[in-house]
Amino acid sequence: MAEAVARLMGSEQAILFYITVFVRSPGTGARTPWHQDQKSWSAAGNDACSVWMSLDKVPRETALQFVRGSHRWKTDYARPAFFSTRYEGDDRTEQSAFPDIEAHREDYEILAWDMDPGDCLVFHGMTAHGGSGNLPAGLGRRSVSVQWLGDDARFRILPGDDDDPHISEEILRYGVKPGDPVVCDICPVVWRRT
Ligand SMILES: O=C(O)CCC(=O)C(=O)O
């Protein structure tokens, strides 16, 4: 996977940033809100991607969906509220509100695929995606999402609640400073072009 993503990013190296596991029990109706992964990453750069793999069969109707070309959007959209709560005084009005893709699906080119266990989707860190879930009765889903960084990705500190997962403090403890490549014991270079 490391070599594949490095080549797809056009990078000399692939740095393992973190791994997420999603477990939806059968009948889960909660859909994943539309979002751009990198808006909650304590790393920014064009060389950054996620690899999403399901361990179960994924029918297209409940698959993770993507807005084609959204990684090139020029607007800096706010991170939509995910599983977090906005608190009083949490004022981030400088960013435009994330578009309501679900209510205006016809305005976007939305892509999704049937997938077999082990199939992988690789997408840019800024590609808008969501809409998955809403599983029919009896069907569960276990998926793994692996976040990768490449040559130009740099460490940054995000406001508390946006840093999700909350790993910046840990990365700081490993000596990485804002503006540095995010390379340390917990974010290793897994593949390097020789
Ligand atoms: O599996 C899902 O529904 C969410 C996946 C996701 O948003 C991600 O991997 O970034």
Side-chain angles (χ1 to χ4, degrees):
M1 189 186 286
E3 178 175 351
V5 296
R7 292 188 188 281
L8 283 168
M9 292 188 290
S11 261
E12 295 300 308
Q13 55 184 347
I15 300 158
L16 178 60
F17 188 32
Y18 67 91
I19 302 176
T20 324
V21 175
F22 297 91
V23 179
R24 288 182 144 87
S25 45
T28 299
R31 293 163 72 99
T32 299
W34 289 94
H35 64 284
Q36 294 163 301
D37 279 352
Q38 220 184 107
K39 293 299 297 187
S40 56
W41 288 2
S42 48
N46 188 49
D47 305 328
C49 66
S50 293
V51 181
W52 188 89
M53 180 182 74
S54 179
L55 307 181
D56 299 294
K57 227 173 159 49
V58 178
R60 189 171 182 274
E61 307 73 58
T62 63
L64 196 59
Q65 301 168 29
F66 298 84
V67 177
R68 184 177 205 156
S70 48
H71 61 298
R72 296 212 167 106
W73 283 348
K74 297 277 179 261
T75 309
D76 180 25
Y77 290 115
R79 173 177 182 261
F82 215 89
F83 304 114
S84 57
T85 320
R86 282 273 165 116
Y87 298 103
E88 216 175 311
D90 179 358
D91 184 17
R92 277 165 283 173
T93 47
E94 72 282 0
Q95 292 176 325
S96 307
F98 197 78
D100 189 351
I101 295 169
E102 203 53 36
H104 302 280
R105 291 179 64 94
E106 67 286 356
D107 294 343
Y108 300 94
E109 191 177 347
I110 294 178
L111 307 174
W113 299 268
D114 289 317
M115 293 173 71
D116 284 322
D119 285 350
C120 289
L121 291 167
V122 183
F123 53 100
H124 190 276
M126 288 301 280
T127 302
H129 60 287
S132 63
N134 200 18
L135 302 178
L139 199 68
R141 178 173 306 157
R142 298 155 301 161
S143 52
V144 179
S145 184
V146 187
Q147 279 63 49
W148 293 97
L149 304 174
D151 293 342
D152 77 353
R154 295 291 180 270
F155 183 56
R156 64 170 174 186
I157 308 274
L158 286 175
D161 209 31
D162 277 2
D163 176 25
D164 185 17
H166 303 287
I167 52 175
S168 353
E169 274 187 31
E170 205 174 340
I171 292 172
L172 279 166
R173 276 202 295 278
Y174 279 87
V176 179
K177 298 188 186 52
D180 286 351
V182 194
V183 177
C184 60
D185 285 357
I186 57 166
C187 302
V189 175
V190 179
W191 185 85
R192 202 188 298 276
R193 200 182 298 267
T194 48

